[in-house]
Amino acid sequence: MYSLGVPLPPALDGDSAPVHLLPPHKAFNWIHDGSVLVFDVTACGEGSKGPAEVPWRLQEGGLVPYGFATLLPDLPDEAKARVFEALVDDFFGPSEVPDLAIVFETPRPGPKAKASPGQAMAQWILRNKAQPHQVFLVDRDEYAKKYQGLQDAAGTKRLTVPSEIVEDGLYLGPLQTATSSAVLNGLAITHVLSVIDHSVPLPSDARVEHLSLCIEDHPDADLYPVLKKALPWLLAAFAETPGARVLVHCAQGRSRSASVVIAWLMCVKRVLERDEKSGSAALFGAVMGIVKQLRPSIQPNYGFASALENLFHDEGALAPLLMGMEAFLQDPGGRRWQLALG
């Protein structure tokens, strides 16, 4: 069961029907992973039965590429069931219904005792369907505002997008994300770190700092020389560029780039917790779990995993980096890392 949401009031969050509020960036990751059902309960106006009439549509521009349906809570139960089943058949198949669903709504002021349309729809799904087991509510307006740039840049084109590991800060994805103007500009990426075994031609209109480090995705490949260059570069990017947004990529966003992101977050966690007794293996397990919740497809090869489990074996080699990181994390800009790893 996922636990990244903020629980709603107890009356709407019973043990048998968990419903949670979900931050937009976490919804974004799960949606693009293709592992959730997505519904929109936003209507045109009071009493409207039609889909939302807004300047952009959620299913355009890669904002919601999978499993999307408009499902209004005041429809008869039979109509709701037909929409639900059609969505499952079109995108997943009856035997592959995801465990999770996301319901977009635009919150409106109203009596606190009365369930919102999104809450009502979430409860209907949980009462009437064996799956999903959990339903998350997402503020449609916040999501639209945050990712409007992607839709503007891409129009109606489907995009391959990176996972947002630290909100508005650290992104992890495959090669296509680094070579796409729509992605780099739409997400306002400022730095790109390529961890791959060939050159990467960035778009000509991309105004980003770029570091390319050559390594094959093979268990015998030595990860340490890459980390020796990548980790200080990441520290400089975040410490010296206010509002830096860094994309780390390899070919598929699964092994090489994931290993660098995990190593960076292991160092951050080590400094934040000021715990020199915890071994690298324990830190690796904890951080791997955090990143995997946000990008389920990651899987460092066993050679890289072994290197990460022994990352702090030679503490002296990382001492300058950790000292610089400690100063950075004490600044206001370092607070988001505490929230990400909290």
Side-chain angles (χ1 to χ4, degrees), residues 68-129:
F68 178 90
T70 298
L71 186 57
L72 301 181
D74 54 356
L75 289 174
D77 284 355
E78 296 81 2
K80 289 192 187 81
R82 285 196 298 271
V83 173
F84 186 96
E85 299 304 333
L87 180 64
V88 169
D89 290 343
D90 287 347
F91 290 93
F92 299 98
S95 63
E96 300 177 352
V97 183
D99 287 336
L100 308 176
I102 285 174
V103 175
F104 281 100
E105 72 169 344
T106 301
R108 295 286 183 261
K112 291 186 177 180
K114 183 179 179 181
S116 71
Q119 292 165 349
M121 181 54 60
Q123 294 297 325
W124 179 86
I125 293 171
L126 291 165
R127 283 196 310 268
N128 291 277
K129 300 298 174 183

Side-chain angles (χ1 to χ4, degrees), residues 125-305:
I125 293 171
L126 291 165
R127 283 196 310 268
N128 291 277
K129 300 298 174 183
Q131 286 180 287
H133 296 137
Q134 279 189 298
V135 180
F136 294 85
L137 300 183
V138 179
D139 187 316
R140 193 184 199 278
D141 290 346
E142 286 188 9
Y143 189 92
K145 182 178 179 181
K146 183 172 176 60
Y147 298 110
Q148 182 74 60
L150 275 179
Q151 196 267 347
D152 288 343
T156 59
K157 181 182 177 182
R158 296 293 187 213
L159 293 178
T160 298
V161 298
S163 301
E164 195 166 353
I165 305 303
V166 175
E167 186 172 11
D168 297 332
L170 182 60
Y171 299 79
L172 170 60
L175 174 62
Q176 299 98 306
T177 60
T179 58
S180 168
S181 293
V183 169
L184 297 180
N185 296 329
L187 292 175
I189 299 297
T190 60
H191 297 71
V192 174
L193 175 56
S194 302
V195 190
I196 203 164
D197 55 355
H198 57 78
S199 62
V200 177
L202 298 187
S204 58
D205 62 345
R207 298 180 179 180
V208 299
E209 296 288 333
H210 184 211
L211 175 64
S212 184
L213 299 175
C214 184
I215 186 172
E216 294 184 353
D217 185 15
H218 191 280
D220 291 336
D222 191 352
L223 184 63
Y224 289 120
V226 168
L227 296 181
K228 188 175 180 180
K229 295 179 179 179
L231 298 179
W233 187 84
L234 288 170
L235 176 58
F238 289 119
E240 298 173 8
T241 305
R245 295 186 175 205
V246 180
L247 168 63
V248 184
H249 81 90
C250 54
Q252 297 180 330
R254 296 183 69 246
S255 180
R256 288 169 286 190
S257 55
S259 296
V260 170
V261 166
I262 290 170
W264 165 258
L265 293 177
M266 285 175 65
C267 291
V268 171
K269 192 171 179 66
R270 177 75 164 232
V271 171
L272 287 175
E273 295 181 354
R274 300 178 182 276
D275 183 5
E276 298 181 0
K277 295 181 180 179
S278 295
S280 298
L283 273 175
F284 170 66
V287 172
M288 176 79 168
I290 292 170
V291 178
K292 201 168 184 67
Q293 278 195 320
L294 297 167
R295 186 172 178 81
S297 62
I298 66 163
Q299 192 60 58
N301 70 53
Y302 65 81
F304 293 168

